[in-house]
Amino acid sequence: MSVLVGLVITLGALLGGFAAMGGNIAVIWQPWEFVIIGGTALGTFIVANPWKVVLDSGQASVQAIMVAIPRQRDYLELLGLLYALMREMRSKARNEVEAHIDDPHASEIFKAFPGVLKQPSLVHFICDYFRLIVIGNVRTYEIEALRDEEIQTISASKLKPYHAMMVVAEALPALGIVAAVLGVIKAMGAIDQSPKILGSFIGAALVGTFAGIFLSYGMLSPLAIKIKMTREAQCRLYLIIKQTLLAFMNGALPQVALEHGRKIISEGERPSIDVVEGETISMANAKAATERAA
């Protein structure tokens, strides 16, 4: 929503200001200038990036526009799942714990947290490191280093659309000049025409320069920055897992380990300790009581 509101304000100020100065808004509408700039930008974008990045850029743009970042409920589900798994590791036999991480989609623990289960990469990350803990004989600092490397790899992969789009945004002013030069060439071909016709051709050519600069700094660059912020917020989930499991491996109780993970959450979205206890620990305790009764 914020992206759409910002876009409306930007276009409103741009076109409204131009009209207030006495400009004719219809003059700005030069579709072939936009086709030259947009088509060239899209073509170079496809040439410079693998199809996976091209498709992911589209998905990342939608996520940025929809502000698809983790909310407090997402954090609570993740903390609840981690707490439930840590309880299992402290109270159950190794083979019982392995059953949950070997087939998370069949696990009753994972099914209790559908928000996490619908994110395959996050589920794989959780299962991989719980599996290492179950196996044992792995030093804490070794797993920490491995987690850091994987998180860095995940982050770099998620930010590829941002870097790709920033490169195009930086090139758009130059592409606008290309469109303007082509417009000037067209105008020079009509040098023998009346000043009115020649002026319209030159005006159309200058629209190319305007469009390249505006699309770069007014639209694509802000969208790329929004993509970066959205993807970095999504990567924060992996940091929560890292800090929680690191504390658990160092001997912290599950309740204390959750606090290590909770501190990673940004202040605006961070649930209080009471909320975490009510939403995660109490849920896990109730589940355990149900299992004992059964």
Side-chain angles (χ1 to χ4, degrees):
M1 180 61 72
S2 62
V3 174
L4 298 178
V5 171
L7 186 60
V8 169
I9 294 173
T10 300
L11 292 176
L14 177 74
L15 299 178
F18 181 68
M21 290 190 303
N24 183 4
I25 296 179
V27 174
I28 299 178
W29 178 242
Q30 301 294 336
W32 293 116
E33 293 285 327
F34 288 98
V35 168
I36 292 171
I37 298 170
T40 306
L42 178 61
T44 54
F45 179 74
I46 293 174
V47 169
N49 298 283
W51 273 111
K52 183 177 180 180
V53 175
V54 174
L55 297 176
D56 192 31
S57 297
Q59 183 180 8
S61 299
V62 173
Q63 291 175 351
I65 294 172
M66 301 301 295
V67 195
I69 61 175
R71 307 294 183 183
Q72 187 175 105
R73 172 54 52 187
D74 300 313
Y75 292 128
L76 287 171
E77 281 208 19
L78 178 59
L79 292 173
L81 174 60
L82 294 176
Y83 179 77
L85 290 173
M86 288 187 292
R87 275 181 59 98
E88 288 288 306
M89 293 194 67
R90 290 179 63 90
S91 61
K92 299 291 181 65
R94 171 177 168 176
N95 62 326
E96 294 183 68
V97 178
E98 285 182 330
H100 294 292
I101 59 180
D102 286 342
D103 190 3
H105 291 279
S107 167
E108 293 301 324
I109 292 180
F110 279 90
K111 288 180 181 178
F113 305 97
V116 178
L117 196 58
K118 68 181 181 181
Q119 303 182 59
S121 61
L122 197 63
V123 172
H124 290 320
F125 188 84
I126 294 171
C127 292
D128 285 347
Y129 289 100
F130 266 104
R131 187 174 288 108
L132 289 176
I133 297 174
V134 170
I135 292 173
N137 297 324
V138 181
R139 297 178 179 86
T140 303
Y141 69 86
E142 292 177 341
I143 292 186
E144 181 181 7
L146 184 60
R147 283 198 204 107
D148 288 339
E149 289 293 332
E150 184 169 2
I151 291 174
Q152 185 177 355
T153 301
I154 292 171
S155 178
S157 178
K158 283 185 171 291
L159 291 179
K160 283 181 180 179
Y162 159 73
H163 294 295
M165 293 182 70
M166 282 301 296
V167 170
V168 176
E170 292 170 358
L172 274 173
L175 295 178
I177 294 174
V178 170
V181 169
L182 292 176
V184 171
I185 293 173
K186 176 185 176 183
M188 291 300 98
I191 195 69
D192 58 340
Q193 299 295 319
S194 66
K196 182 178 180 180
I197 296 176
L198 188 60
S200 65
F201 286 164
I202 294 175
L206 292 176
V207 169
T209 303
F210 150 75
I213 296 173
F214 173 71
L215 291 174
S216 173
Y217 298 107
M219 297 188 70
L220 199 59
S221 290
L223 178 61
I225 293 172
K226 191 74 172 182
I227 288 174
K228 181 181 180 183
M229 295 173 60
T230 302
R231 289 294 175 89
E232 285 178 343
Q234 293 173 358
C235 289
R236 194 175 300 125
L237 296 172
Y238 297 89
L239 295 175
I240 293 172
I241 298 169
K242 171 199 167 184
Q243 291 302 118
T244 301
L245 294 187
L246 183 62
F248 180 67
M249 292 180 65
N250 284 325
L253 294 173
Q255 296 93 325
V256 178
L258 280 189
E259 184 63 15
H260 285 254
R262 189 182 73 88
K263 291 296 185 181
I264 299 297
I265 304 172
S266 59
E267 187 175 356
E269 297 291 339
R270 184 190 303 160
S272 66
I273 297 177
D274 293 335
V275 171
V276 172
E277 290 181 351
E279 294 286 337
T280 62
I281 299 176
S282 297
M283 182 186 299
N285 289 338
K287 181 179 181 298
T290 302
E291 289 178 351
R292 287 194 297 269

